[in-house]
């Protein structure tokens, strides 16, 4: 109920400010499958989001539901809202399988689909998918090259480092010439590749006012490719807790941050250094690798949480969201988390 109310309240806020800057604000939703819920809940949330004029719905993959079947059902019951993956790991599918799936999703949704891809991390790729987590950037570059050929309806002759294909051509017509490809990138090298090859950037733990180093790497990539940084749409995934019990919300978010820093390889640990939380990140990772997850979560500071998540009453969350747009974000995708049972009513 709190989340439904927030969606409706934010929509009213936008409509009441048509003369101001907020007219161009784009707000989407990420992950509409609350744990343990029926599919009907996801369906109802998707219909409500479209009715209220929200920009997009995205779904990711880890070791739970796949993204494409859920998004296909959402595409079938909606007609305007954009849908996208956020993210699917490139190791989980062959480039041909990913290409035909993405292009078919775009046909089914009549041009409302965008493909968000990433490398994920060693833990997921090796222990769940059974693939070697090697050269993730080179692999992603090869996938994107393959996808661009498929979009142009070319023969898929490709002799790459990871895959060699020949003769075949996709036997249906893509809905449009350019299906947008977004990359979930964190490292300097992957950010540069995002600027060079992608249509958009899907950051996680985006922190307004701390992202200059990331933007500089994206700019390097766009300049290398003869593009402008304005060609890259920035769409961060941001956790939100709509509640008046901020303490409990902060405590619920700490384990999430600790898991990424300590349990998902070195990428997030190094990223936290780049946005100003190096000392904290070192201590959290050390605790996590000692298998003290509670201790690691307790070391996540309030400043780290407030810098990367939205927490508070609807009005407080709305004010915090505006910082992202002031920082250059094109669209914010909200990940709703259940507030305290005694939270905002």
């Amino acid at each position: 109920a709190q989340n439904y109310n927030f969606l409706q309240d934010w929509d009213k806020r936008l409509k009441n400010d048509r003369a101001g800057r907020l007219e161009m604000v784009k707000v989407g939703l990420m992950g509409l499958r609350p744990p343990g819920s029926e599919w009907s809940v996801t369906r109802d949330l998707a219909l409500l989001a479209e009715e209220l004029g929200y920009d997009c719905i995205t779904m990711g993959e880890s070791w739970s539901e796949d993204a494409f079947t859920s998004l296909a059902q959402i595409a079938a019951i909606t007609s305007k809202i954009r849908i996208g993956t956020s993210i699917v790991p490139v190791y989980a599918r062959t480039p041909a399988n990913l290409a035909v799936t993405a292009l078919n999703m775009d046909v089914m949704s009549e041009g409302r689909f965008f493909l968000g891809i990433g490398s994920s991390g060693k833990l997921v790729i090796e222990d769940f998918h059974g693939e070697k987590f090697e050269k993730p950037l080179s692999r992603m570059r090869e996938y994107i090259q393959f996808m661009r050929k498929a979009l142009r309806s070319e023969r898929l002759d490709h002799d790459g480092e990871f895959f060699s294909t020949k003769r075949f051509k996709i036997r249906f017509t893509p809905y449009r010439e350019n299906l947008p490809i977004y990359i979930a990138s964190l490292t300097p090298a992957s950010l540069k590749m995002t600027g060079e090859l992608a249509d958009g950037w899907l950051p996680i733990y985006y922190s307004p006012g701390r992202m200059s180093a990331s933007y500089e790497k994206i700019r390097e990539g766009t300049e290398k490719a003869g593009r402008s940084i304005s060609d890259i749409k920035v769409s961060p995934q941001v956790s939100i807790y709509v509640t008046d019990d901020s303490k409990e919300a902060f405590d619920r978010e700490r384990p999430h941050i600790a898991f990424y820093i300590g349990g998902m390889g070195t990428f997030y640990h190094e990223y936290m250094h780049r946005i100003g939380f190096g000392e904290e990140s070192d201590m959290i990772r050390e605790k996590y690798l000692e298998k003290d997850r509670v201790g690691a979560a307790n070391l996540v500071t309030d400043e780290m949480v407030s810098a990367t998540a939205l927490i508070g009453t609807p009005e407080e969350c709305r004010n915090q969201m505006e910082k992202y747009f002031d920082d250059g974000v094109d669209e914010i995708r909200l990940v709703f988390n259940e507030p305290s049972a005694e939270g905002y009513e």
Side-chain angles (χ1 to χ4, degrees):
Q2 292 96 326
N3 294 342
Y4 269 68
N5 290 339
F6 179 82
L7 292 177
Q8 293 168 327
D9 288 347
W10 179 254
D11 183 66
K12 291 176 184 176
R13 166 93 171 228
L14 297 182
K15 289 178 178 176
N16 290 337
D17 197 22
R18 290 304 183 196
R21 180 181 60 82
L22 288 177
E23 183 179 359
M24 301 305 295
V25 163
K26 293 184 178 180
V27 181
L29 302 173
M30 162 61 190
L32 291 181
R33 191 70 181 272
S37 68
E38 302 290 335
W39 171 256
S40 60
V41 174
T42 301
R43 179 195 63 208
D44 292 345
L45 284 170
L47 291 171
L48 175 63
E50 178 165 79
E51 177 187 342
L52 295 177
Y54 284 80
D55 186 61
C56 73
I57 295 171
T58 65
M59 291 192 174
E61 284 185 4
S62 52
W63 49 93
S64 186
E65 297 96 337
D66 79 291
F68 288 109
T69 53
S70 294
L71 289 171
Q73 291 206 37
I74 290 174
I77 63 171
T78 57
S79 60
K80 296 178 292 185
I81 197 165
R82 293 165 56 241
I83 55 176
T85 56
S86 175
I87 63 169
V88 292
V90 292
Y91 290 85
R93 295 170 177 84
T94 67
N97 178 264
L98 186 61
V100 296
T101 303
L103 293 174
N104 197 38
M105 284 291 302
D106 204 44
V107 169
M108 292 166 60
S109 65
E110 298 183 318
R112 290 184 287 137
F113 181 74
F114 65 89
L115 178 68
I117 58 175
S119 60
S120 189
K122 183 176 181 178
L123 181 71
V124 175
I125 300 308
E126 296 197 352
D127 291 0
F128 182 62
H129 289 290
E131 297 282 344
K132 284 292 184 184
F133 188 70
E134 298 174 341
K135 298 186 176 181
L137 295 188
S138 298
R139 181 179 287 256
M140 198 177 310
R141 181 180 292 273
E142 196 165 312
Y143 268 74
I144 293 172
Q145 291 169 346
F146 191 97
M147 287 288 300
R148 299 298 190 199
K149 288 180 182 179
L151 276 167
R152 295 190 295 265
S153 297
E154 296 177 2
R155 272 175 52 116
L156 298 175
D157 295 327
H158 181 84
D159 187 16
E161 181 178 0
F162 303 97
F163 298 97
S164 180
T165 60
K166 57 186 177 181
R167 292 195 300 272
F168 287 93
K169 178 181 176 181
I170 289 178
R171 295 182 61 184
F172 65 92
T173 303
Y175 187 83
R176 51 184 165 163
E177 294 181 358
N178 181 38
L179 185 156
I181 298 175
Y182 287 45
I183 298 178
S185 48
L186 281 176
T187 68
S190 65
L191 289 164
K192 188 174 180 180
M193 184 179 69
T194 299
E196 183 183 351
L197 299 178
D199 301 292
W201 177 34
L202 300 175
I204 188 174
Y205 296 124
Y206 188 106
S207 183
R210 298 171 179 264
M211 305 303 296
S212 58
S214 296
Y215 278 115
E216 182 55 36
K217 288 300 175 185
I218 292 175
R219 184 177 287 105
E220 287 181 22
T222 59
E223 290 176 352
K224 179 180 178 181
R227 309 168 68 197
S228 167
I229 195 168
S230 63
D231 295 330
I232 309 298
K233 301 304 179 186
V234 181
S235 178
Q237 169 183 318
V238 185
S239 287
I240 180 170
Y241 297 79
V242 184
T243 177
D244 58 5
D245 187 349
S246 293
K247 181 182 184 305
E248 180 163 348
F250 271 75
D251 289 342
R252 291 190 181 205
E253 182 65 13
R254 292 185 219 279
H256 299 168
I257 296 174
F259 168 73
Y260 275 87
I261 292 173
M264 289 293 285
T266 62
F267 300 126
Y268 296 94
H269 171 230
E270 294 168 355
Y271 169 73
M272 287 294 176
H273 274 258
R274 291 193 292 275
I275 64 171
F277 297 115
E279 183 177 346
E280 298 92 331
S281 183
D282 288 345
M283 293 189 295
I284 292 164
R285 182 167 175 78
E286 182 178 354
K287 278 288 185 187
Y288 201 95
L289 294 178
E290 292 173 354
K291 302 191 184 301
D292 183 0
R293 296 189 178 189
V294 173
N298 289 338
L299 289 172
V300 176
T301 65
D302 286 356
E303 185 181 7
M304 295 176 74
V305 175
S306 61
T308 56
L310 306 169
I311 296 176
T313 65
E315 186 64 29
E316 290 169 339
C317 288
R318 283 192 291 263
N319 291 338
Q320 293 165 37
M321 286 169 64
E322 292 184 29
K323 295 178 182 178
Y324 287 78
F325 298 112
D326 290 340
D327 203 56
V329 163
D330 296 287
E331 169 187 79
I332 187 171
R333 292 171 299 111
L334 303 176
V335 184
F336 278 102
N337 295 276
E338 184 181 352
S340 163
E342 287 140 1
Y344 179 79
E345 295 294 340

